[in-house]
PDB file of all heavy atoms in Angstrom:
ATOM      1  N   LEU E1255      -0.500  26.120  11.928  1.00 96.00           N
ATOM      2  CA  LEU E1255       0.192  26.323  13.199  1.00 96.00           C
ATOM      3  C   LEU E1255       1.355  25.352  13.366  1.00 96.00           C
ATOM      4  O   LEU E1255       2.391  25.704  13.932  1.00 96.00           O
ATOM      5  CB  LEU E1255      -0.796  26.193  14.359  1.00 96.00           C
ATOM      6  CG  LEU E1255      -1.847  27.291  14.449  1.00 96.00           C
ATOM      7  CD1 LEU E1255      -2.887  26.967  15.513  1.00 96.00           C
ATOM      8  CD2 LEU E1255      -1.194  28.637  14.718  1.00 96.00           C
ATOM      9  N   ASN E1256       1.172  24.154  12.882  1.00 95.00           N
ATOM     10  CA  ASN E1256       2.248  23.162  12.888  1.00 95.00           C
ATOM     11  C   ASN E1256       3.421  23.672  12.044  1.00 95.00           C
ATOM     12  O   ASN E1256       4.581  23.522  12.419  1.00 95.00           O
ATOM     13  CB  ASN E1256       1.706  21.841  12.331  1.00 95.00           C
ATOM     14  CG  ASN E1256       2.470  20.646  12.803  1.00 95.00           C
ATOM     15  OD1 ASN E1256       3.198  20.711  13.776  1.00 95.00           O
ATOM     16  ND2 ASN E1256       2.298  19.548  12.110  1.00 95.00           N
ATOM     17  N   GLY E1257       3.106  24.271  10.910  1.00 95.00           N
ATOM     18  CA  GLY E1257       4.133  24.844  10.054  1.00 95.00           C
ATOM     19  C   GLY E1257       4.863  25.997  10.718  1.00 95.00           C
ATOM     20  O   GLY E1257       6.089  26.113  10.628  1.00 95.00           O
ATOM     21  N   VAL E1258       4.111  26.857  11.415  1.00 95.00           N
ATOM     22  CA  VAL E1258       4.727  27.973  12.136  1.00 95.00           C
ATOM     23  C   VAL E1258       5.677  27.438  13.204  1.00 95.00           C
ATOM     24  O   VAL E1258       6.820  27.904  13.326  1.00 95.00           O
ATOM     25  CB  VAL E1258       3.644  28.882  12.772  1.00 95.00           C
ATOM     26  CG1 VAL E1258       4.257  29.878  13.740  1.00 95.00           C
ATOM     27  CG2 VAL E1258       2.860  29.603  11.698  1.00 95.00           C
ATOM     28  N   ALA E1259       5.210  26.434  13.953  1.00 94.00           N
ATOM     29  CA  ALA E1259       6.065  25.845  14.992  1.00 94.00           C
ATOM     30  C   ALA E1259       7.328  25.246  14.390  1.00 94.00           C
ATOM     31  O   ALA E1259       8.426  25.436  14.920  1.00 94.00           O
ATOM     32  CB  ALA E1259       5.281  24.777  15.764  1.00 94.00           C
ATOM     33  N   ALA E1260       7.184  24.548  13.286  1.00 94.00           N
ATOM     34  CA  ALA E1260       8.345  23.924  12.644  1.00 94.00           C
ATOM     35  C   ALA E1260       9.329  24.976  12.140  1.00 94.00           C
ATOM     36  O   ALA E1260      10.550  24.795  12.247  1.00 94.00           O
ATOM     37  CB  ALA E1260       7.893  23.031  11.495  1.00 94.00           C
ATOM     38  N   LEU E1261       8.815  26.060  11.590  1.00 93.00           N
ATOM     39  CA  LEU E1261       9.706  27.110  11.092  1.00 93.00           C
ATOM     40  C   LEU E1261      10.409  27.840  12.235  1.00 93.00           C
ATOM     41  O   LEU E1261      11.556  28.263  12.094  1.00 93.00           O
ATOM     42  CB  LEU E1261       8.919  28.099  10.227  1.00 93.00           C
ATOM     43  CG  LEU E1261       8.418  27.530   8.890  1.00 93.00           C
ATOM     44  CD1 LEU E1261       7.483  28.507   8.215  1.00 93.00           C
ATOM     45  CD2 LEU E1261       9.573  27.149   7.981  1.00 93.00           C
ATOM     46  N   ILE E1262       9.748  27.963  13.381  1.00 92.00           N
ATOM     47  CA  ILE E1262      10.367  28.633  14.525  1.00 92.00           C
ATOM     48  C   ILE E1262      11.466  27.770  15.141  1.00 92.00           C
ATOM     49  O   ILE E1262      12.553  28.257  15.442  1.00 92.00           O
ATOM     50  CB  ILE E1262       9.303  29.007  15.581  1.00 92.00           C
ATOM     51  CG1 ILE E1262       8.430  30.145  15.045  1.00 92.00           C
ATOM     52  CG2 ILE E1262       9.951  29.398  16.906  1.00 92.00           C
ATOM     53  CD1 ILE E1262       7.235  30.469  15.910  1.00 92.00           C
ATOM     54  N   ILE E1263      11.195  26.483  15.322  1.00 92.00           N
ATOM     55  CA  ILE E1263      12.192  25.618  15.970  1.00 92.00           C
ATOM     56  C   ILE E1263      13.145  24.973  14.965  1.00 92.00           C
ATOM     57  O   ILE E1263      14.030  24.229  15.360  1.00 92.00           O
ATOM     58  CB  ILE E1263      11.520  24.515  16.820  1.00 92.00           C
ATOM     59  CG1 ILE E1263      10.737  23.544  15.939  1.00 92.00           C
ATOM     60  CG2 ILE E1263      10.663  25.111  17.905  1.00 92.00           C
ATOM     61  CD1 ILE E1263      10.275  22.313  16.654  1.00 92.00           C
ATOM     62  N   GLY E1264      12.963  25.275  13.700  1.00 82.00           N
ATOM     63  CA  GLY E1264      13.729  24.631  12.637  1.00 82.00           C
ATOM     64  C   GLY E1264      15.225  24.672  12.779  1.00 82.00           C
ATOM     65  O   GLY E1264      15.921  23.711  12.452  1.00 82.00           O
ATOM     66  N   ARG E1265      15.758  25.743  13.259  1.00 79.00           N
ATOM     67  CA  ARG E1265      17.215  25.866  13.361  1.00 79.00           C
ATOM     68  C   ARG E1265      17.778  25.065  14.525  1.00 79.00           C
ATOM     69  O   ARG E1265      18.933  24.681  14.519  1.00 79.00           O
ATOM     70  CB  ARG E1265      17.591  27.333  13.527  1.00 79.00           C
ATOM     71  CG  ARG E1265      17.256  28.147  12.310  1.00 79.00           C
ATOM     72  CD  ARG E1265      17.752  29.570  12.467  1.00 79.00           C
ATOM     73  NE  ARG E1265      17.395  30.340  11.305  1.00 79.00           N
ATOM     74  CZ  ARG E1265      16.417  31.219  11.258  1.00 79.00           C
ATOM     75  NH1 ARG E1265      15.704  31.455  12.328  1.00 79.00           N
ATOM     76  NH2 ARG E1265      16.161  31.879  10.155  1.00 79.00           N
ATOM     77  N   ASN E1266      16.962  24.842  15.537  1.00 83.00           N
ATOM     78  CA  ASN E1266      17.470  24.251  16.766  1.00 83.00           C
ATOM     79  C   ASN E1266      17.319  22.741  16.854  1.00 83.00           C
ATOM     80  O   ASN E1266      18.140  22.086  17.486  1.00 83.00           O
ATOM     81  CB  ASN E1266      16.785  24.886  17.981  1.00 83.00           C
ATOM     82  CG  ASN E1266      17.006  26.384  18.040  1.00 83.00           C
ATOM     83  OD1 ASN E1266      17.992  26.873  17.508  1.00 83.00           O
ATOM     84  ND2 ASN E1266      16.090  27.094  18.665  1.00 83.00           N
ATOM     85  N   ASN E1267      16.255  22.197  16.273  1.00 88.00           N
ATOM     86  CA  ASN E1267      15.993  20.785  16.494  1.00 88.00           C
ATOM     87  C   ASN E1267      15.418  20.135  15.234  1.00 88.00           C
ATOM     88  O   ASN E1267      14.205  20.139  15.019  1.00 88.00           O
ATOM     89  CB  ASN E1267      15.029  20.623  17.675  1.00 88.00           C
ATOM     90  CG  ASN E1267      15.000  19.211  18.200  1.00 88.00           C
ATOM     91  OD1 ASN E1267      15.287  18.267  17.468  1.00 88.00           O
ATOM     92  ND2 ASN E1267      14.637  19.068  19.454  1.00 88.00           N
ATOM     93  N   ALA E1268      16.276  19.537  14.444  1.00 88.00           N
ATOM     94  CA  ALA E1268      15.853  18.912  13.189  1.00 88.00           C
ATOM     95  C   ALA E1268      14.953  17.706  13.428  1.00 88.00           C
ATOM     96  O   ALA E1268      14.066  17.418  12.620  1.00 88.00           O
ATOM     97  CB  ALA E1268      17.075  18.502  12.377  1.00 88.00           C
ATOM     98  N   GLU E1269      15.157  17.016  14.538  1.00 90.00           N
ATOM     99  CA  GLU E1269      14.338  15.830  14.832  1.00 90.00           C
ATOM    100  C   GLU E1269      12.880  16.211  15.083  1.00 90.00           C
ATOM    101  O   GLU E1269      11.966  15.552  14.590  1.00 90.00           O
ATOM    102  CB  GLU E1269      14.910  15.100  16.049  1.00 90.00           C
ATOM    103  CG  GLU E1269      14.226  13.775  16.319  1.00 90.00           C
ATOM    104  CD  GLU E1269      14.860  13.049  17.481  1.00 90.00           C
ATOM    105  OE1 GLU E1269      16.098  12.945  17.525  1.00 90.00           O
ATOM    106  OE2 GLU E1269      14.092  12.572  18.344  1.00 90.00           O
ATOM    107  N   GLN E1270      12.655  17.292  15.835  1.00 93.00           N
ATOM    108  CA  GLN E1270      11.282  17.752  16.085  1.00 93.00           C
ATOM    109  C   GLN E1270      10.633  18.268  14.802  1.00 93.00           C
ATOM    110  O   GLN E1270       9.441  18.069  14.586  1.00 93.00           O
ATOM    111  CB  GLN E1270      11.261  18.836  17.152  1.00 93.00           C
ATOM    112  CG  GLN E1270      11.433  18.303  18.553  1.00 93.00           C
ATOM    113  CD  GLN E1270      11.320  19.403  19.591  1.00 93.00           C
ATOM    114  OE1 GLN E1270      11.529  20.574  19.295  1.00 93.00           O
ATOM    115  NE2 GLN E1270      10.981  19.016  20.811  1.00 93.00           N
ATOM    116  N   VAL E1271      11.406  18.929  13.963  1.00 92.00           N
ATOM    117  CA  VAL E1271      10.886  19.413  12.686  1.00 92.00           C
ATOM    118  C   VAL E1271      10.447  18.237  11.825  1.00 92.00           C
ATOM    119  O   VAL E1271       9.391  18.282  11.181  1.00 92.00           O
ATOM    120  CB  VAL E1271      11.927  20.284  11.953  1.00 92.00           C
ATOM    121  CG1 VAL E1271      11.480  20.578  10.531  1.00 92.00           C
ATOM    122  CG2 VAL E1271      12.169  21.568  12.711  1.00 92.00           C
ATOM    123  N   GLU E1272      11.225  17.175  11.819  1.00 92.00           N
ATOM    124  CA  GLU E1272      10.868  15.971  11.058  1.00 92.00           C
ATOM    125  C   GLU E1272       9.583  15.346  11.601  1.00 92.00           C
ATOM    126  O   GLU E1272       8.728  14.896  10.836  1.00 92.00           O
ATOM    127  CB  GLU E1272      12.018  14.962  11.095  1.00 92.00           C
ATOM    128  CG  GLU E1272      11.794  13.748  10.231  1.00 92.00           C
ATOM    129  CD  GLU E1272      11.711  14.071   8.741  1.00 92.00           C
ATOM    130  OE1 GLU E1272      12.395  15.006   8.276  1.00 92.00           O
ATOM    131  OE2 GLU E1272      10.953  13.372   8.036  1.00 92.00           O
ATOM    132  N   THR E1273       9.435  15.329  12.917  1.00 93.00           N
ATOM    133  CA  THR E1273       8.215  14.809  13.531  1.00 93.00           C
ATOM    134  C   THR E1273       7.008  15.663  13.129  1.00 93.00           C
ATOM    135  O   THR E1273       5.946  15.129  12.775  1.00 93.00           O
ATOM    136  CB  THR E1273       8.343  14.780  15.066  1.00 93.00           C
ATOM    137  OG1 THR E1273       9.456  13.965  15.421  1.00 93.00           O
ATOM    138  CG2 THR E1273       7.090  14.235  15.719  1.00 93.00           C
ATOM    139  N   LEU E1274       7.166  16.980  13.168  1.00 94.00           N
ATOM    140  CA  LEU E1274       6.078  17.871  12.751  1.00 94.00           C
ATOM    141  C   LEU E1274       5.750  17.690  11.272  1.00 94.00           C
ATOM    142  O   LEU E1274       4.588  17.791  10.864  1.00 94.00           O
ATOM    143  CB  LEU E1274       6.443  19.329  13.039  1.00 94.00           C
ATOM    144  CG  LEU E1274       6.510  19.728  14.512  1.00 94.00           C
ATOM    145  CD1 LEU E1274       7.054  21.142  14.661  1.00 94.00           C
ATOM    146  CD2 LEU E1274       5.155  19.595  15.171  1.00 94.00           C
ATOM    147  N   TYR E1275       6.758  17.406  10.484  1.00 94.00           N
ATOM    148  CA  TYR E1275       6.582  17.144   9.050  1.00 94.00           C
ATOM    149  C   TYR E1275       5.708  15.909   8.838  1.00 94.00           C
ATOM    150  O   TYR E1275       4.769  15.926   8.038  1.00 94.00           O
ATOM    151  CB  TYR E1275       7.960  16.983   8.413  1.00 94.00           C
ATOM    152  CG  TYR E1275       7.989  16.673   6.940  1.00 94.00           C
ATOM    153  CD1 TYR E1275       7.422  17.519   6.006  1.00 94.00           C
ATOM    154  CD2 TYR E1275       8.640  15.531   6.472  1.00 94.00           C
ATOM    155  CE1 TYR E1275       7.490  17.243   4.652  1.00 94.00           C
ATOM    156  CE2 TYR E1275       8.711  15.251   5.120  1.00 94.00           C
ATOM    157  CZ  TYR E1275       8.128  16.108   4.222  1.00 94.00           C
ATOM    158  OH  TYR E1275       8.194  15.830   2.881  1.00 94.00           O
ATOM    159  N   VAL E1276       6.006  14.864   9.581  1.00 95.00           N
ATOM    160  CA  VAL E1276       5.219  13.629   9.472  1.00 95.00           C
ATOM    161  C   VAL E1276       3.781  13.868   9.936  1.00 95.00           C
ATOM    162  O   VAL E1276       2.824  13.436   9.281  1.00 95.00           O
ATOM    163  CB  VAL E1276       5.883  12.484  10.283  1.00 95.00           C
ATOM    164  CG1 VAL E1276       4.977  11.277  10.370  1.00 95.00           C
ATOM    165  CG2 VAL E1276       7.225  12.112   9.669  1.00 95.00           C
ATOM    166  N   VAL E1277       3.624  14.586  11.050  1.00 96.00           N
ATOM    167  CA  VAL E1277       2.287  14.883  11.565  1.00 96.00           C
ATOM    168  C   VAL E1277       1.495  15.707  10.544  1.00 96.00           C
ATOM    169  O   VAL E1277       0.323  15.435  10.283  1.00 96.00           O
ATOM    170  CB  VAL E1277       2.371  15.608  12.928  1.00 96.00           C
ATOM    171  CG1 VAL E1277       1.014  16.158  13.344  1.00 96.00           C
ATOM    172  CG2 VAL E1277       2.915  14.685  13.991  1.00 96.00           C
ATOM    173  N   SER E1278       2.145  16.703   9.960  1.00 95.00           N
ATOM    174  CA  SER E1278       1.470  17.533   8.958  1.00 95.00           C
ATOM    175  C   SER E1278       1.034  16.721   7.751  1.00 95.00           C
ATOM    176  O   SER E1278      -0.067  16.907   7.237  1.00 95.00           O
ATOM    177  CB  SER E1278       2.386  18.665   8.493  1.00 95.00           C
ATOM    178  OG  SER E1278       2.487  19.652   9.468  1.00 95.00           O
ATOM    179  N   ARG E1279       1.911  15.849   7.301  1.00 94.00           N
ATOM    180  CA  ARG E1279       1.552  15.023   6.145  1.00 94.00           C
ATOM    181  C   ARG E1279       0.374  14.121   6.467  1.00 94.00           C
ATOM    182  O   ARG E1279      -0.515  13.928   5.629  1.00 94.00           O
ATOM    183  CB  ARG E1279       2.761  14.192   5.702  1.00 94.00           C
ATOM    184  CG  ARG E1279       3.803  15.034   5.007  1.00 94.00           C
ATOM    185  CD  ARG E1279       4.933  14.224   4.392  1.00 94.00           C
ATOM    186  NE  ARG E1279       4.928  12.815   4.626  1.00 94.00           N
ATOM    187  CZ  ARG E1279       5.944  12.130   5.184  1.00 94.00           C
ATOM    188  NH1 ARG E1279       7.023  12.756   5.557  1.00 94.00           N
ATOM    189  NH2 ARG E1279       5.855  10.836   5.337  1.00 94.00           N
ATOM    190  N   LEU E1280       0.342  13.565   7.673  1.00 96.00           N
ATOM    191  CA  LEU E1280      -0.761  12.683   8.055  1.00 96.00           C
ATOM    192  C   LEU E1280      -2.071  13.452   8.238  1.00 96.00           C
ATOM    193  O   LEU E1280      -3.145  12.957   7.876  1.00 96.00           O
ATOM    194  CB  LEU E1280      -0.417  11.927   9.338  1.00 96.00           C
ATOM    195  CG  LEU E1280       0.654  10.862   9.216  1.00 96.00           C
ATOM    196  CD1 LEU E1280       0.988  10.288  10.585  1.00 96.00           C
ATOM    197  CD2 LEU E1280       0.209   9.747   8.272  1.00 96.00           C
ATOM    198  N   MET E1281      -2.000  14.652   8.797  1.00 96.00           N
ATOM    199  CA  MET E1281      -3.208  15.439   9.040  1.00 96.00           C
ATOM    200  C   MET E1281      -3.779  16.042   7.760  1.00 96.00           C
ATOM    201  O   MET E1281      -4.947  16.409   7.708  1.00 96.00           O
ATOM    202  CB  MET E1281      -2.916  16.556  10.047  1.00 96.00           C
ATOM    203  CG  MET E1281      -2.579  16.059  11.440  1.00 96.00           C
ATOM    204  SD  MET E1281      -3.860  15.007  12.147  1.00 96.00           S
ATOM    205  CE  MET E1281      -5.154  16.179  12.364  1.00 96.00           C
ATOM    206  N   LEU E1282      -2.944  16.135   6.728  1.00 97.00           N
ATOM    207  CA  LEU E1282      -3.421  16.689   5.465  1.00 97.00           C
ATOM    208  C   LEU E1282      -4.523  15.824   4.848  1.00 97.00           C
ATOM    209  O   LEU E1282      -5.479  16.345   4.273  1.00 97.00           O
ATOM    210  CB  LEU E1282      -2.253  16.838   4.484  1.00 97.00           C
ATOM    211  CG  LEU E1282      -2.592  17.397   3.104  1.00 97.00           C
ATOM    212  CD1 LEU E1282      -3.172  18.807   3.225  1.00 97.00           C
ATOM    213  CD2 LEU E1282      -1.359  17.399   2.220  1.00 97.00           C
ATOM    214  N   TYR E1283      -4.420  14.513   4.997  1.00 97.00           N
ATOM    215  CA  TYR E1283      -5.409  13.617   4.384  1.00 97.00           C
ATOM    216  C   TYR E1283      -6.816  13.817   4.935  1.00 97.00           C
ATOM    217  O   TYR E1283      -7.755  14.026   4.160  1.00 97.00           O
ATOM    218  CB  TYR E1283      -4.961  12.157   4.513  1.00 97.00           C
ATOM    219  CG  TYR E1283      -3.757  11.847   3.662  1.00 97.00           C
ATOM    220  CD1 TYR E1283      -2.481  11.800   4.220  1.00 97.00           C
ATOM    221  CD2 TYR E1283      -3.879  11.634   2.298  1.00 97.00           C
ATOM    222  CE1 TYR E1283      -1.367  11.534   3.440  1.00 97.00           C
ATOM    223  CE2 TYR E1283      -2.770  11.366   1.508  1.00 97.00           C
ATOM    224  CZ  TYR E1283      -1.526  11.317   2.085  1.00 97.00           C
ATOM    225  OH  TYR E1283      -0.422  11.064   1.308  1.00 97.00           O
ATOM    226  N   PRO E1284      -7.020  13.768   6.265  1.00 98.00           N
ATOM    227  CA  PRO E1284      -8.391  14.010   6.739  1.00 98.00           C
ATOM    228  C   PRO E1284      -8.861  15.443   6.483  1.00 98.00           C
ATOM    229  O   PRO E1284     -10.046  15.663   6.213  1.00 98.00           O
ATOM    230  CB  PRO E1284      -8.328  13.706   8.236  1.00 98.00           C
ATOM    231  CG  PRO E1284      -6.902  13.719   8.597  1.00 98.00           C
ATOM    232  CD  PRO E1284      -6.130  13.394   7.360  1.00 98.00           C
ATOM    233  N   ALA E1285      -7.949  16.411   6.548  1.00 97.00           N
ATOM    234  CA  ALA E1285      -8.330  17.803   6.294  1.00 97.00           C
ATOM    235  C   ALA E1285      -8.831  17.963   4.861  1.00 97.00           C
ATOM    236  O   ALA E1285      -9.882  18.567   4.625  1.00 97.00           O
ATOM    237  CB  ALA E1285      -7.145  18.736   6.555  1.00 97.00           C
ATOM    238  N   LEU E1286      -8.097  17.426   3.921  1.00 97.00           N
ATOM    239  CA  LEU E1286      -8.484  17.537   2.514  1.00 97.00           C
ATOM    240  C   LEU E1286      -9.737  16.714   2.223  1.00 97.00           C
ATOM    241  O   LEU E1286     -10.600  17.139   1.463  1.00 97.00           O
ATOM    242  CB  LEU E1286      -7.327  17.106   1.613  1.00 97.00           C
ATOM    243  CG  LEU E1286      -7.483  17.413   0.135  1.00 97.00           C
ATOM    244  CD1 LEU E1286      -7.709  18.899  -0.092  1.00 97.00           C
ATOM    245  CD2 LEU E1286      -6.258  16.949  -0.627  1.00 97.00           C
ATOM    246  N   PHE E1287      -9.857  15.563   2.858  1.00 98.00           N
ATOM    247  CA  PHE E1287     -11.061  14.756   2.687  1.00 98.00           C
ATOM    248  C   PHE E1287     -12.292  15.524   3.182  1.00 98.00           C
ATOM    249  O   PHE E1287     -13.322  15.569   2.500  1.00 98.00           O
ATOM    250  CB  PHE E1287     -10.944  13.420   3.440  1.00 98.00           C
ATOM    251  CG  PHE E1287     -12.228  12.648   3.466  1.00 98.00           C
ATOM    252  CD1 PHE E1287     -12.637  11.930   2.351  1.00 98.00           C
ATOM    253  CD2 PHE E1287     -13.045  12.675   4.581  1.00 98.00           C
ATOM    254  CE1 PHE E1287     -13.839  11.229   2.357  1.00 98.00           C
ATOM    255  CE2 PHE E1287     -14.248  11.982   4.593  1.00 98.00           C
ATOM    256  CZ  PHE E1287     -14.644  11.258   3.484  1.00 98.00           C
ATOM    257  N   LEU E1288     -12.188  16.120   4.372  1.00 98.00           N
ATOM    258  CA  LEU E1288     -13.325  16.865   4.916  1.00 98.00           C
ATOM    259  C   LEU E1288     -13.646  18.089   4.074  1.00 98.00           C
ATOM    260  O   LEU E1288     -14.816  18.418   3.870  1.00 98.00           O
ATOM    261  CB  LEU E1288     -13.045  17.271   6.367  1.00 98.00           C
ATOM    262  CG  LEU E1288     -13.083  16.137   7.378  1.00 98.00           C
ATOM    263  CD1 LEU E1288     -12.533  16.607   8.725  1.00 98.00           C
ATOM    264  CD2 LEU E1288     -14.490  15.594   7.534  1.00 98.00           C
ATOM    265  N   LEU E1289     -12.626  18.771   3.584  1.00 97.00           N
ATOM    266  CA  LEU E1289     -12.861  19.924   2.714  1.00 97.00           C
ATOM    267  C   LEU E1289     -13.599  19.503   1.445  1.00 97.00           C
ATOM    268  O   LEU E1289     -14.587  20.124   1.047  1.00 97.00           O
ATOM    269  CB  LEU E1289     -11.534  20.594   2.362  1.00 97.00           C
ATOM    270  CG  LEU E1289     -11.608  21.836   1.483  1.00 97.00           C
ATOM    271  CD1 LEU E1289     -12.387  22.943   2.173  1.00 97.00           C
ATOM    272  CD2 LEU E1289     -10.214  22.311   1.120  1.00 97.00           C
ATOM    273  N   THR E1290     -13.144  18.436   0.834  1.00 97.00           N
ATOM    274  CA  THR E1290     -13.787  17.928  -0.379  1.00 97.00           C
ATOM    275  C   THR E1290     -15.210  17.458  -0.087  1.00 97.00           C
ATOM    276  O   THR E1290     -16.139  17.741  -0.852  1.00 97.00           O
ATOM    277  CB  THR E1290     -12.945  16.791  -0.985  1.00 97.00           C
ATOM    278  OG1 THR E1290     -11.614  17.267  -1.186  1.00 97.00           O
ATOM    279  CG2 THR E1290     -13.524  16.305  -2.289  1.00 97.00           C
ATOM    280  N   ALA E1291     -15.382  16.745   1.025  1.00 97.00           N
ATOM    281  CA  ALA E1291     -16.716  16.271   1.406  1.00 97.00           C
ATOM    282  C   ALA E1291     -17.648  17.451   1.673  1.00 97.00           C
ATOM    283  O   ALA E1291     -18.823  17.425   1.282  1.00 97.00           O
ATOM    284  CB  ALA E1291     -16.630  15.368   2.630  1.00 97.00           C
ATOM    285  N   GLY E1292     -17.148  18.486   2.326  1.00 96.00           N
ATOM    286  CA  GLY E1292     -17.965  19.668   2.597  1.00 96.00           C
ATOM    287  C   GLY E1292     -18.414  20.360   1.327  1.00 96.00           C
ATOM    288  O   GLY E1292     -19.561  20.796   1.213  1.00 96.00           O
ATOM    289  N   ILE E1293     -17.506  20.461   0.367  1.00 96.00           N
ATOM    290  CA  ILE E1293     -17.861  21.050  -0.927  1.00 96.00           C
ATOM    291  C   ILE E1293     -18.900  20.180  -1.626  1.00 96.00           C
ATOM    292  O   ILE E1293     -19.885  20.682  -2.185  1.00 96.00           O
ATOM    293  CB  ILE E1293     -16.607  21.239  -1.800  1.00 96.00           C
ATOM    294  CG1 ILE E1293     -15.685  22.293  -1.182  1.00 96.00           C
ATOM    295  CG2 ILE E1293     -16.979  21.613  -3.228  1.00 96.00           C
ATOM    296  CD1 ILE E1293     -14.311  22.357  -1.817  1.00 96.00           C
ATOM    297  N   PHE E1294     -18.715  18.880  -1.582  1.00 96.00           N
ATOM    298  CA  PHE E1294     -19.642  17.937  -2.218  1.00 96.00           C
ATOM    299  C   PHE E1294     -21.029  18.008  -1.563  1.00 96.00           C
ATOM    300  O   PHE E1294     -22.047  18.057  -2.261  1.00 96.00           O
ATOM    301  CB  PHE E1294     -19.068  16.521  -2.133  1.00 96.00           C
ATOM    302  CG  PHE E1294     -19.887  15.490  -2.831  1.00 96.00           C
ATOM    303  CD1 PHE E1294     -19.892  15.407  -4.210  1.00 96.00           C
ATOM    304  CD2 PHE E1294     -20.665  14.590  -2.108  1.00 96.00           C
ATOM    305  CE1 PHE E1294     -20.653  14.455  -4.867  1.00 96.00           C
ATOM    306  CE2 PHE E1294     -21.419  13.636  -2.746  1.00 96.00           C
ATOM    307  CZ  PHE E1294     -21.423  13.558  -4.130  1.00 96.00           C
ATOM    308  N   ILE E1295     -21.075  18.039  -0.241  1.00 95.00           N
ATOM    309  CA  ILE E1295     -22.360  18.134   0.468  1.00 95.00           C
ATOM    310  C   ILE E1295     -23.039  19.461   0.134  1.00 95.00           C
ATOM    311  O   ILE E1295     -24.259  19.519  -0.074  1.00 95.00           O
ATOM    312  CB  ILE E1295     -22.157  17.974   1.989  1.00 95.00           C
ATOM    313  CG1 ILE E1295     -21.699  16.549   2.310  1.00 95.00           C
ATOM    314  CG2 ILE E1295     -23.432  18.308   2.755  1.00 95.00           C
ATOM    315  CD1 ILE E1295     -21.144  16.373   3.706  1.00 95.00           C
ATOM    316  N   GLY E1296     -22.255  20.526   0.041  1.00 92.00           N
ATOM    317  CA  GLY E1296     -22.807  21.820  -0.354  1.00 92.00           C
ATOM    318  C   GLY E1296     -23.389  21.786  -1.754  1.00 92.00           C
ATOM    319  O   GLY E1296     -24.422  22.411  -2.025  1.00 92.00           O
ATOM    320  N   ALA E1297     -22.740  21.055  -2.644  1.00 93.00           N
ATOM    321  CA  ALA E1297     -23.257  20.931  -4.007  1.00 93.00           C
ATOM    322  C   ALA E1297     -24.587  20.173  -4.025  1.00 93.00           C
ATOM    323  O   ALA E1297     -25.516  20.555  -4.744  1.00 93.00           O
ATOM    324  CB  ALA E1297     -22.231  20.230  -4.893  1.00 93.00           C
ATOM    325  N   ILE E1298     -24.682  19.122  -3.226  1.00 93.00           N
ATOM    326  CA  ILE E1298     -25.945  18.370  -3.152  1.00 93.00           C
ATOM    327  C   ILE E1298     -27.044  19.270  -2.583  1.00 93.00           C
ATOM    328  O   ILE E1298     -28.173  19.299  -3.100  1.00 93.00           O
ATOM    329  CB  ILE E1298     -25.772  17.096  -2.299  1.00 93.00           C
ATOM    330  CG1 ILE E1298     -24.825  16.120  -2.998  1.00 93.00           C
ATOM    331  CG2 ILE E1298     -27.114  16.440  -2.014  1.00 93.00           C
ATOM    332  CD1 ILE E1298     -24.410  14.948  -2.147  1.00 93.00           C
ATOM    333  N   TRP E1299     -26.724  20.004  -1.531  1.00 90.00           N
ATOM    334  CA  TRP E1299     -27.691  20.924  -0.939  1.00 90.00           C
ATOM    335  C   TRP E1299     -28.112  21.996  -1.951  1.00 90.00           C
ATOM    336  O   TRP E1299     -29.293  22.322  -2.070  1.00 90.00           O
ATOM    337  CB  TRP E1299     -27.087  21.546   0.318  1.00 90.00           C
ATOM    338  CG  TRP E1299     -27.908  22.629   0.932  1.00 90.00           C
ATOM    339  CD1 TRP E1299     -29.218  22.551   1.332  1.00 90.00           C
ATOM    340  CD2 TRP E1299     -27.489  23.955   1.212  1.00 90.00           C
ATOM    341  NE1 TRP E1299     -29.630  23.756   1.847  1.00 90.00           N
ATOM    342  CE2 TRP E1299     -28.588  24.638   1.797  1.00 90.00           C
ATOM    343  CE3 TRP E1299     -26.300  24.643   1.053  1.00 90.00           C
ATOM    344  CZ2 TRP E1299     -28.515  25.956   2.194  1.00 90.00           C
ATOM    345  CZ3 TRP E1299     -26.234  25.961   1.466  1.00 90.00           C
ATOM    346  CH2 TRP E1299     -27.322  26.605   2.018  1.00 90.00           C
TER     347      TRP E1299
END
């Protein structure tokens, strides 16, 4: 959804797109960690 928002407002406001870019990069780490942890917990189960 962050990507959709950035692509929609991309032409009008480069500063907001850059902010969304930073937020997306930061949120990727916990998302990927949780995905990996979920797969790992499923393997143990």
Side-chain angles (χ1 to χ4, degrees):
L1255 292 172
N1256 204 18
V1258 169
L1261 291 171
I1262 289 172
I1263 65 169
R1265 294 185 181 104
N1266 301 334
N1267 195 334
E1269 187 177 312
Q1270 284 184 337
V1271 170
E1272 186 64 33
T1273 301
L1274 291 173
Y1275 179 59
V1276 171
V1277 169
S1278 286
R1279 287 188 355 236
L1280 290 175
M1281 294 303 292
L1282 179 61
Y1283 291 100
L1286 191 57
F1287 171 78
L1288 288 169
L1289 181 62
T1290 306
I1293 293 169
F1294 184 75
I1295 293 166
I1298 294 170
W1299 173 55

